[in-house]
Structures are given as C-alpha cells and as structure tokens.
Amino acid sequence: MSGTAPRSARLVLRLAGLAVACVLAWLVGYPLLVTLAESLGLPRAFTGEHFAEFARRPDEWQALWRSLWISAVSVALAALVGVPLAFLVERSDFPGRRTLGALLALPVALPPLIGVIAFLFLYGESGVVARLLRNAGVDARWQLGGPAAILLVHAYSMYVFFYVFVRTALQRLDASLYEAAASLGASGARTWWRVTLPLLRPALAGASLLVFMTALASFSAPYIFGGSFRVMTTQIVASKLNGDIAMAMVETVMLGLVALSGLALLRRVDPGESATAGGRGVAPARARSKRWWLRALLGAATCAAAALLLLPHATLVLLSLAPPNTWTVEALPPVLALDNYRTLLASPERLRPVLNSLWMATAASLGAVALGLVAARLSLRLRGLVGRILEWELVLPWAIPGTVFAVALATTWSVDQPAMLRFVLVGTPLILPLAYLVRSLPVTGRSALAALRQIDPALEEAAASLGAGPARTLRRVVVPLMRPALVAAAALTFITALGDFVTSIVLYTFETRPIAIEVLASLRMQETGVAAVYGVLLMVVSAGAFLVWGGRSSL
C-alpha cells in the first residue's frame, strides 16, 4: 500500500507537468509555428515564394544587417559605460557611493518609449540642451536621428546589464586570489589580465548576449529616431501597416530565427550563473584615497553622474509643467503650472489609457507569477525530459523580439478555428494582458527557479512527515520562503508591461489602448505637455515598482 501511494503521486505529478507543458506550448510555441506555417502557404498549399521574394529584395537584407550591426555596436557601447561604472562603485570608496550605486540602475525604471521621448526633448534639435547652447551664443544645430541616435539611447538604457552583472561578480570575488597573485610578484595589470578578467568572463559574456538580444528586439528607438533607417523590427510593422501580411510573416520568421540563435548562445552562458560567478570568499577592500582633494573630486563626479542620469527624468517633469503654447524658444519654461495635469484628470477619455495599463499590467503580473511558479516547481520536481521542456518553454519568450511575438499572436488569434485550438482574441480586452503575461514568463519563471533551488529539501520533507499535503506545503512552506523573489519578479513584470509599446502597437484597439500608445497619439496631435504628463505618470509608477524590485532582488 505504501508503494502504491508514491507511484500514484508520481503519476499525478507527471500528468500535471505534461498539462502545464502543453499550456505553455500553446501560449508560447504554437503562435510561432502558426506564423511559420502561414508564411509557407500552409495549410492550403506549400510555397516558398514569400521567402524567395524576401531573398530578392535588398531592403529586407539591409534591414536585417542593420539590426545585427546596431545590436553589436550597442553591446560595445553598453560595455564601455557599464563596466567602468561597476568598477568605480565596487572598487572605490568615496562620498555618495551608495547613492550613485542606486542611481546607476535607474534607467531600468524608465519605460523604453518614455526614455526615447525624454531623449528627444532633452537632446533633440529643439530640445533643452540645444536651446541652452543657442541662448549662450553657440550655433547649436544638429538633428537627433538615424543610427547615432538609436545607439545613444541603447547605450543609456542597456549599460545597466553590464553594470549589474559585473558589479555582482565583483562583490563575489575572493580577496585571497589577489593576495596570492601579489605574493607571486604579479603586477596590477598582470593580475587584472590573468585573475580578474577570467573570473569576470561569464558575467561579461552573459551581459553581452542579453544586450545583443535586447537591442535586436528594440523598437521604440528605431521607430522614433530611425526615419528611413529601418531595422527588422520597424520593417515588420511597416509591412503589416502597408497590408503586406505575407512579407510581415516572413520577416517575423527571419528575425525569430536570428533571435533563437542568440538564445542558444545564451543557454550556454547562463546569465543567472554568470552574475554570481567568481568565488565565495571575502571581496577585496575598496580603495580609499588618503588625499582629500581626490575624494572630493570623486564626490563631485558622483554628483555630475547622478545629474546626467536624472536629466531625462527632469526634462519630462519640466515639460509636463509647461502650460500649452508657453514654452517656445526659451531655454527653460517661463511658466510652470499644473494645466496639463488638470487637462488629463478632467477627461475620462484621457484617463482610460492609464486605467487600461494599470489593470492589464496587474493582471499580467499576477498571471505570470502564478504560471511561472507552477512551471518552475514542476520542472525541478520532474527533471528528465518533461522538466527540461518546461524550463525551455519558460526561457523561450526571452529570445523572441516583441514585434515577432506580437505578429505571431495577431496571426494565430485572429481566426475562429476551435478544432485547431485557435480562437478570436484580437480586438478583445484579453489579447494585450495575455501578450504581456507570456512575454514576462522568463522573468517570473527564472526567479522562481532560482528561489526554489535555494530551498533546503529537508524543509518540505519535514512538512510531509507532519502530515502536510503538497498543496499545504506549497502554501505554508515554499511560497513564504520564495516571497522576496516572487515580489521582485512581479514588480519587474509590472514595470515592463506598464510601459510596453512594441507589443501594444500591433495588438491594441482604441478601447484597450495603453499609456504608451496614448503618448504617441498626443505627440502626433502636438499635445507635448499632455504626452509628458503620461510619461511622468508612467515614470512615477514604474519607479515605485522599481523600488520594490530593487529592495527584493538579490542583485
């Protein structure tokens, strides 16, 4: 009898794992397969004509090449910014170090579209910097556009990957390794080359791959600044808007294949592991200069760096406080008032995008945490083939650019074919939160996996020996121990969904439009103050969620 119960429990566990794997396959893999099939003319008649047309068009290859080199240069620029900053914060002791360390991660809390808009208002040809220079007598004439503008935004927003990964790795380096190198007569440069760099290589590789894939999927910066300079993400949307649905699906498949190749590399260098590589001893002591003027110089540099990082945020706030038609040629707004805020609050129609984004981001966060937790737990409990499939399905959305996934969802859930497990969701309030949920599964799933691996199995065994069933053990033992990781994952998911633009622009309707879409609409109507108010609201709510994430995250 005692042998029957464990076998029955294992059978139930396998069935549950298969069920969750099928649900994830339906949500994640099935839309991609449907898009691939329809790009090949299936199920009507197989044809490769659309791919042949793609191969004949130079503009398609040009867009793909631009995506690749923009992503590669973004990695180099992000590393040039993020790595030195990580060394500065972790290896030096100076006034304001803790404050600077927190501020350097602040770009994470700025949604992509809002960050792009802030850069436009700050550094654009009629932005604050240009006006200040012209008022000072400098002939400041430039145009913020093209690949240079895209790379500038990428460097600002993506250096955080290198900063966080390298800083965490530096915290875990063992001081005894440096002492051993010094005792053997190694110079500082040789120690850096032979000791520090090899230990940081996993963190650098993981950050490089994440930046590359993030830049490959970037849409907001190319959409706002690209103009005629198209990358694959903007090329897909342009084809869809022009009615060339077949070519949009082929472009989606091609970009998806490139992204999946990146995922294969990412799995070989796990960023979760790379962020913690480098030893388990005491980290080397931070350098503290005995010269007061050098410490003061570092403190001044800290203030300058913090101000530079906060400039885009401050620009949005200033613009939101400038009443309509009052800020024209002046360097700074001549009048500050709350007119734009009153305009937004007085109109229920203008408040609808705010409410839409809040409820959709909340629903997506809760759903992603629940599904990610269940899939992660089953993955670890089952192991074997089913466990590996579950873990792969949790990671897969990480590799799929938002444009690719949005087109795949629009293709799959726009027809009513119950026999093929396809239903009409496009145009309903469900499609956007579902898209946000699936896009966030890597964050919640990987957080759950990391937290579960840190829980001592003896705790669950003790609960079972006291008569607690699996559900009670999960509720009373496992989830409380995982709460910090789950809260951090939910906060980061909420930030991402709240400011989503790339998925929303393909799937939204007028009734379900989120804040990011309304920002773009306000700019097109020349209501820059109202657009800035939406940006400030997004920034404030995202910053609040970021504080929760930062307080709970192990990083």
Side-chain angles (χ1 to χ4, degrees):
M1 189 72 178
S2 60
T4 305
R7 283 198 296 270
S8 175
R10 286 196 296 270
L11 177 61
V12 171
L13 195 64
R14 287 196 188 94
L15 291 176
L18 287 172
V20 174
C22 289
V23 170
L24 288 176
W26 180 65
L27 289 174
V28 179
Y30 187 54
L32 300 174
L33 291 176
V34 168
T35 304
L36 174 61
E38 296 205 3
S39 68
L40 293 170
L42 301 173
R44 296 176 296 278
F46 176 84
T47 176
E49 178 58 31
H50 301 315
F51 284 90
E53 177 65 20
F54 178 95
R56 288 193 295 265
R57 290 170 57 171
D59 59 317
E60 300 291 348
W61 289 107
Q62 187 180 54
L64 185 58
W65 166 243
R66 285 171 173 171
S67 290
L68 291 173
W69 78 256
I70 283 285
S71 301
V73 176
S74 296
V75 171
L77 293 177
L80 284 174
V81 177
V83 174
L85 288 176
F87 272 89
L88 174 66
V89 172
E90 283 304 317
R91 286 292 178 261
S92 303
D93 192 7
F94 53 88
R97 188 189 68 85
R98 290 181 179 273
T99 302
L100 177 62
L103 288 176
L104 285 174
L106 199 58
V108 173
L110 202 61
L113 178 65
I114 303 306
V116 171
I117 299 301
F119 261 78
L120 182 64
F121 291 143
L122 180 59
Y123 299 115
E125 54 268 28
S126 60
V128 174
V129 173
R131 293 183 184 188
L132 285 171
L133 291 175
R134 284 196 289 267
N135 285 1
V138 179
D139 186 15
R141 296 181 182 179
W142 62 73
Q143 185 174 3
L144 189 64
I150 295 171
L151 290 172
L152 177 65
V153 174
H154 283 185
Y156 173 80
S157 58
M158 298 177 191
Y159 80 82
V160 179
F161 288 112
F162 280 96
Y163 170 71
V164 171
F165 276 43
V166 173
R167 185 182 175 189
T168 306
L170 287 172
Q171 291 172 350
R172 296 177 180 271
L173 291 182
D174 195 337
S176 63
L177 298 175
Y178 291 89
E179 295 169 1
S183 67
L184 293 173
S187 64
R190 185 172 177 82
T191 300
W192 190 90
W193 184 258
R194 299 297 299 272
V195 178
T196 305
L197 186 60
L199 291 174
L200 293 181
R201 189 175 293 125
L204 293 172
S208 298
L209 285 167
L210 280 177
V211 171
F212 183 87
M213 293 173 63
T214 304
L216 189 71
S218 175
F219 179 80
S220 298
Y223 184 78
I224 299 296
F225 293 131
S228 60
F229 183 88
R230 285 185 181 173
V231 295
M232 279 306 294
T233 52
T234 52
Q235 185 82 350
I236 290 171
V237 173
S239 297
K240 189 175 185 299
L241 293 177
N242 291 332
D244 195 352
I245 304 301
M247 185 54 62
M249 286 190 289
V250 172
E251 293 162 350
T252 298
V253 171
M254 295 299 293
L255 185 57
L257 290 175
V258 173
L260 287 172
S261 301
L263 175 62
L265 288 174
L266 183 63
R267 295 292 290 163
R268 295 184 63 181
V269 184
D270 188 350
E273 293 298 324
S274 61
T276 60
R280 296 180 180 273
V282 178
R286 296 186 179 91
R288 181 178 177 85
S289 176
K290 296 180 180 179
R291 297 179 176 87
W292 68 267
W293 59 267
L294 185 55
R295 292 198 300 272
L297 183 63
L298 284 173
T302 300
C303 295
L308 185 64
L309 289 169
L310 291 173
L311 276 179
H313 305 72
T315 302
L316 273 180
V317 175
L318 270 181
L319 193 65
S320 72
L321 293 173
N325 305 316
T326 60
W327 191 6
T328 53
V329 297
E330 300 86 356
L332 297 174
V335 180
L336 296 179
L338 298 174
D339 295 21
N340 295 314
Y341 290 87
R342 295 191 190 98
T343 299
L344 189 147
L345 294 175
S347 172
E349 195 60 37
R350 291 183 184 271
L351 283 174
R352 178 182 295 178
V354 178
L355 299 177
N356 284 342
S357 287
L358 288 174
W359 83 257
M360 289 190 295
T362 302
S365 302
L366 295 176
V369 167
L371 186 55
L373 170 60
V374 171
R377 184 164 172 81
L378 287 172
S379 171
L380 293 179
R381 294 287 295 275
L382 288 170
R383 303 184 184 277
L385 178 60
V386 176
R388 290 195 296 272
I389 290 174
L390 284 169
E391 190 170 351
W392 177 264
E393 289 174 333
L394 286 174
V395 175
L396 183 59
W398 207 342
I400 306 301
T403 311
V404 171
F405 199 73
V407 171
L409 290 179
T411 302
T412 305
W413 310 124
S414 60
V415 297
D416 188 21
Q417 295 178 345
M420 299 294 294
L421 296 178
R422 298 175 65 181
F423 309 94
V424 177
L425 297 179
V426 174
T428 71
L430 296 177
I431 188 66
L432 276 176
L434 179 65
Y436 299 159
L437 183 155
V438 177
R439 294 281 298 158
S440 301
L441 280 176
V443 174
T444 59
R446 291 174 64 82
S447 295
L449 281 169
L452 285 168
R453 285 173 176 145
Q454 293 177 355
I455 296 176
D456 189 344
L459 296 175
E460 294 191 53
E461 295 171 3
S465 67
L466 294 173
R472 184 176 176 84
T473 300
L474 179 65
R475 187 177 69 255
R476 298 296 298 273
V477 177
V478 177
V479 170
L481 292 172
M482 296 177 62
R483 187 173 291 118
L486 295 179
V487 171
L492 191 55
T493 298
F494 184 83
I495 293 173
T496 305
L498 191 70
D500 180 87
F501 176 64
V502 58
T503 307
S504 303
I505 197 172
V506 177
L507 299 172
Y508 83 97
T509 64
F510 180 77
E511 297 294 327
T512 62
R513 66 192 187 281
I515 296 178
I517 299 299
E518 193 67 13
V519 168
L520 192 61
S522 298
L523 289 175
R524 287 173 175 169
M525 295 172 64
Q526 303 298 315
E527 296 180 337
T528 55
V530 174
V533 172
Y534 282 119
V536 170
L537 291 176
L538 262 182
M539 186 173 64
V540 170
V541 177
S542 297
F546 171 74
L547 291 175
V548 174
W549 171 60
R552 299 285 185 170
S553 174
S554 60
L555 290 178

